[in-house]
Amino acid sequence: MTARPRKADERITPGDLKRAGVKSILERVRKAKGYFVTNTERDLSQSDFKNRIMPHTQILGAEPRNAAGFFSIEISGGASVHVDLLRKQISPLEKLQILSAYMPDTLFQTLCRGINLFGYRPYPDNVIRLTVGAFAKYVHVWRVFDFLNYIPNMVPVFEEVKKADCLLEPSICFSTGPEHTDEFYVGKVGEILEVTGPDILLCIKNHAGLGTAKRIGDLVRAILDRYPSLIIHYHGHNTDGNDIGRIVEAVRNGAKIVDAGDHSFVGFFGPPPILTVVETLEDYGYRAVGLDKQSVIDTSNVLRPERENYRDFESQFLGFDPSVQIHKLPGGATGSSFEQAVKGNFLHLMPDILQKELPQVQVELGNWWSVTPGSQILWTTAVNNVIKDGRYRNANDDLKNLMLERYGEFPFYRPAEEIYRAVFGSDWKKIIEREGGYQKIEDVDLEIEKRVLEHRLGRPASGDELVLYLQHPNDAVSFFKFEEKYGKTWVLPPSVWFRKGGFSLGEKFEFQDAFGKLHKLEIGPQRRTKDGDYITLLVVDHHPEPILTVIEDEGGAKPRAVTLSPKEIEALARSGDIRAPIKGLVNQIPGAVGDAVNTGEILVVLEAMKMLTNITSEVSGKISEIFVSPGSDIEVGDRLMTINMEA
């Protein structure tokens, strides 16, 4: 079905923004008789499908979405930039370029974590500005937040968004508890306006779907009583099943934009369904400005058959969860936490972690906001407290940096002294005095970074490739090399990408790529080479491509899985045999073979669950062997490095 165009005088398009400018668009929103709807497609994908929604599916729904008359569609940002690279799906910038051609009448929106950008820790100022400039070519609305509501952490992004003539949407992250009063949040809005001036949208970012409908309505009213011309955009999650109520009260108290998702794809941890929101508000006399209901229905009709392809990525924990009001995990973290619990064999401990330990950790660490990267710090700390010996005695470097206030000031109170002692040891006061305080990340030399990237790729790198490399170096390089070898695989449908069990010899099938072109695929025939390996022909549209399969020596011994206990790993480290204490990814190796190291020096930086863990030396000596490299996947007990103590 062909979607119908909307009335030109109601919807706000990228062309309108370019011609009239930010102030004119904001005034149109203020004067509109009703409220607007943002389709938070990216947040839905992250919260309910672990960011796996493929470009093929997005293109299928692009035409009716473009005709639906949304204020904007959140199509980028958050963890999606990383996952697009990590899962070898598509360049995040190329995705924006392609989708913008399919949705020329719709404002594109992104979610940016302040100075953490699209990553999990602070970036240098010049990297922030370069990245915002690259994405601003396609993104019109910039929702910006900081997990501590620390305004200085958002200023560089604010400045670059304004410079690009895009719509700036600073956020106040919302939570509950005695400290989270209307007065506190109204004060934060004032801090934002002192930096930005009045020409902004303001987001109330209720990332976990916390509080009651009345609580959100009261907050909207308190902000507008103090700043009556401010445009409020309410964002929430439907984890407890009550976000429609919160949206209704937000609109009734003056919010002008709200978030929702396509009803055929909504789940439990992301946004509520668009039409349910719209039709509920209609009975209260509020109209969704510019929205075409039939186009919303058409979108879901197109998308519904696609959902089956993503079944395996939906959370293992199904059903609405009113206990989110206790554990406060946002939608994306809820799904991934259960995935980690399954992989880590501690699923049986989840009730204790979510209902007891995590809420206690939140209060003990200051009752700030459980949103990236804060949600990862809280979650990892709670898990370590439960599955390892001693609460807070296995602190990772992100928790240490938080407690040193390197990410910003604690908004309400600092953790108790006994927690500092558990994390840093008996000399904690000296460490805080020596190392504490806000950490400004120094600019990097962009020319040097580009040369490093080009050395790793073995070819010249584009400006967009440099931007993505600076965000996630190892995963970006891995993706670039993957795409060089296999081509633009994002055109394939998810039924091919996510097919279980592989393909059988002699199998033939047809599929449509992302552009609607029909392809025929045949697996085989197969023949054995002189070396004993096999060549299998993959025939695509009658063009054969050979695939070499190396046959392992049947008589060779299979490698034995390394299984070492934490105590065994510690004992080996004291002998100079450095092993991985966690499963994850090698992020950095500061030294090289032949370098002298002293006790306490960082040998390897590991990344797991978006957190960094430093592996430090237990001995003094020289690095004699390095068994891994940046980007290597490692299991618990894998050899990382050898230190020769006789040096």
Side-chain angles (χ1 to χ4, degrees):
M1 179 176 179
T2 302
R4 299 179 301 279
R6 294 296 305 140
K7 295 178 182 178
D9 62 341
E10 285 197 325
R11 76 175 309 172
I12 296 169
T13 69
D16 295 334
L17 176 61
K18 185 175 182 179
R19 286 188 298 271
V22 169
K23 287 187 177 183
S24 175
I25 298 304
L26 295 178
E27 193 59 27
R28 283 179 60 182
V29 175
R30 286 190 191 96
K31 291 181 176 179
K33 302 299 183 183
Y35 67 97
F36 295 81
V37 176
T38 286
N39 183 325
T40 46
E41 191 263 11
R42 191 281 318 166
D43 192 33
L44 187 153
S45 175
Q46 180 168 327
S47 298
D48 289 304
F49 299 94
K50 300 183 180 69
N51 259 319
R52 297 307 207 286
I53 305 301
M54 297 288 292
H56 184 280
T57 302
Q58 292 174 310
I59 289 173
L60 281 178
E63 184 181 357
R65 275 177 174 164
N66 187 57
F70 298 121
F71 172 75
S72 60
I73 181 165
E74 189 183 89
I75 203 73
S76 177
S80 72
V81 172
H82 184 207
V83 174
D84 282 347
L85 298 170
L86 178 67
R87 304 299 176 190
K88 313 292 193 299
Q89 293 182 346
I90 189 173
S91 160
L93 287 165
E94 183 181 14
K95 178 170 73 173
L96 286 169
Q97 181 183 26
I98 291 164
L99 291 175
S100 63
Y102 282 92
M103 290 184 276
D105 303 315
T106 304
L107 296 173
F108 276 16
Q109 180 172 307
T110 192
L111 176 71
C112 177
R113 301 160 177 159
I115 60 170
N116 298 310
L117 286 175
F118 306 120
Y120 314 108
R121 51 200 55 87
Y123 289 92
D125 189 84
N126 61 340
V127 171
I128 293 170
R129 297 181 188 279
L130 182 71
T131 304
V132 173
F135 277 81
K137 290 182 291 186
Y138 312 106
V139 174
H140 312 99
V141 184
W142 286 74
R143 179 176 290 167
V144 188
F145 74 93
D146 178 73
F147 80 105
L148 292 174
N149 275 329
Y150 188 60
I151 309 306
N153 281 343
M154 298 187 275
V155 170
V157 179
F158 289 172
E159 292 174 349
E160 291 304 306
V161 171
K162 282 182 167 286
K163 189 183 296 183
D165 295 320
C166 295
L167 291 164
L168 175 61
E169 187 173 294
S171 301
I172 51 168
C173 296
F174 174 79
S175 190
T176 53
E179 300 83 12
H180 296 267
T181 62
D182 287 346
E183 291 74 18
F184 172 80
Y185 287 114
V186 171
K188 280 293 169 185
V189 174
E191 290 181 41
I192 289 171
L193 291 172
E194 285 178 8
V195 174
T196 64
D199 296 327
I200 63 167
L201 305 163
L202 179 84
C203 177
I204 296 176
K205 182 172 170 55
N206 190 4
H207 44 274
L210 301 178
T212 63
K214 181 180 183 300
R215 176 71 191 91
I216 295 301
D218 289 347
L219 178 57
V220 172
R221 178 47 49 202
I223 294 171
L224 290 177
D225 282 347
R226 177 67 181 83
Y227 302 104
S229 64
L230 199 55
I231 299 170
I232 292 181
H233 187 162
Y234 173 76
H235 164 79
H237 281 189
N238 201 34
T239 306
D240 65 348
N242 196 31
D243 208 49
I244 295 172
R246 289 185 284 264
I247 289 172
V248 168
E249 286 306 302
V251 172
R252 293 182 71 192
N253 282 277
K256 293 293 289 188
I257 314 170
V258 299
D259 286 358
D262 297 296
H263 54 264
S264 63
F265 257 66
V266 293
F268 301 105
F269 307 120
I274 294 166
L275 285 184
T276 308
V277 168
V278 170
E279 290 174 357
T280 301
L281 279 165
E282 280 181 357
D283 271 0
Y284 286 94
Y286 295 90
R287 184 177 73 95
V289 177
L291 192 77
D292 182 67
K293 287 185 182 180
Q294 187 57 51
S295 293
V296 175
I297 294 170
D298 292 344
T299 304
S300 278
N301 288 342
V302 170
L303 294 178
R304 194 178 301 279
E306 291 286 296
R307 184 163 184 162
E308 176 65 26
N309 298 314
Y310 300 102
R311 179 185 295 273
D312 290 340
F313 302 113
E314 296 195 55
S315 174
Q316 296 87 348
F317 181 67
L318 301 176
F320 292 112
D321 180 21
S323 67
V324 69
Q325 304 296 333
I326 300 170
H327 61 71
K328 300 183 181 180
L329 276 180
T334 302
S336 62
S337 68
F338 277 87
E339 183 178 33
Q340 292 160 12
V342 170
K343 292 179 179 178
N345 296 316
F346 59 89
L347 185 63
H348 61 291
L349 298 175
M350 285 296 280
D352 277 346
I353 293 172
L354 290 179
Q355 309 306 322
K356 298 177 183 178
E357 185 61 27
L358 185 54
Q360 185 175 347
V361 165
Q362 286 193 343
V363 172
E364 290 173 343
L365 291 184
N367 198 23
W368 32 266
W369 296 269
S370 181
V371 60
T372 304
S375 52
Q376 284 82 11
I377 295 173
L378 292 168
W379 162 253
T380 305
T381 302
V383 170
N384 286 341
N385 285 355
V386 169
I387 68 177
K388 296 183 179 180
D389 295 332
R391 298 183 76 244
Y392 294 105
R393 297 189 187 280
N394 293 280
N396 59 32
D397 295 307
D398 293 282
L399 175 59
K400 291 177 181 178
N401 287 333
L402 171 85
M403 294 180 66
L404 289 167
E405 296 190 271
R406 289 180 174 177
Y407 300 144
E409 300 171 358
F410 282 102
F412 304 118
Y413 56 87
R414 292 182 176 86
E417 290 188 1
E418 58 264 27
I419 296 178
Y420 277 96
R421 187 175 292 107
V423 170
F424 294 103
S426 57
D427 290 336
W428 67 271
K429 288 185 179 179
K430 293 181 180 178
I431 293 173
I432 298 300
E433 184 177 347
R434 183 176 67 248
E435 302 179 20
Y438 187 80
Q439 187 178 47
K440 173 69 174 177
I441 309 299
E442 296 300 321
D443 283 355
V444 298
D445 188 317
L446 297 175
E447 286 302 319
I448 291 177
E449 292 295 329
K450 187 174 183 181
R451 287 201 294 271
V452 171
L453 170 59
E454 291 178 339
H455 175 75
R456 293 181 67 175
L457 293 178
R459 60 166 175 80
S462 69
D464 283 354
E465 286 176 327
L466 176 62
V467 167
L468 298 175
Y469 169 76
L470 291 168
Q471 287 292 290
H472 300 286
N474 295 322
D475 293 323
V477 168
S478 180
F479 167 75
F480 299 149
K481 290 182 176 180
F482 173 86
E483 192 169 71
E484 283 178 24
K485 183 175 182 179
Y486 297 107
K488 304 288 186 181
T489 58
W490 62 263
V491 303
L492 297 173
S495 58
V496 174
W497 257 90
F498 301 135
R499 178 175 174 132
K500 287 184 175 181
F503 301 94
S504 302
L505 195 63
E507 187 173 2
K508 301 177 182 179
F509 58 94
E510 295 182 343
F511 64 88
Q512 281 189 331
D513 65 19
F515 300 109
K517 184 178 179 181
L518 187 66
H519 298 280
K520 295 182 178 181
L521 191 68
E522 181 177 356
I523 312 298
Q526 187 181 76
R527 61 181 175 83
R528 193 156 190 163
T529 68
K530 293 180 180 179
D531 298 327
D533 301 322
Y534 282 102
I535 291 289
T536 301
L537 293 180
L538 175 66
V539 183
V540 181
D541 298 337
H542 309 293
H543 298 287
E545 293 289 340
I547 300 173
L548 175 64
T549 303
V550 178
I551 306 300
E552 299 291 341
D553 183 0
E554 295 179 1
K558 294 182 179 180
R560 181 180 63 86
V562 179
T563 54
L564 296 173
S565 69
K567 290 185 178 179
E568 289 173 321
I569 292 173
E570 290 175 9
L572 288 169
R574 290 192 291 272
S575 69
D577 185 355
I578 313 303
R579 303 294 183 112
I582 60 174
K583 173 183 169 63
L585 185 78
V586 177
N587 184 278
Q588 296 178 48
I589 303 175
V593 171
D595 285 358
V597 295
N598 296 315
T599 301
E601 283 192 34
I602 298 173
L603 301 175
V604 181
V605 182
L606 301 181
E607 183 173 343
M609 295 191 291
K610 304 178 184 177
M611 298 287 101
L612 295 182
T613 299
N614 289 338
I615 308 302
T616 56
S617 183
E618 298 288 336
V619 297
S620 295
K622 277 190 176 180
I623 300 174
S624 59
E625 294 177 282
I626 299 176
F627 301 101
V628 293
S629 59
S632 297
D633 288 313
I634 49 96
E635 300 286 339
V636 174
D638 282 356
R639 299 189 76 181
L640 303 177
M641 185 180 292
T642 299
I643 307 297
N644 185 352
M645 293 188 291
E646 297 177 358

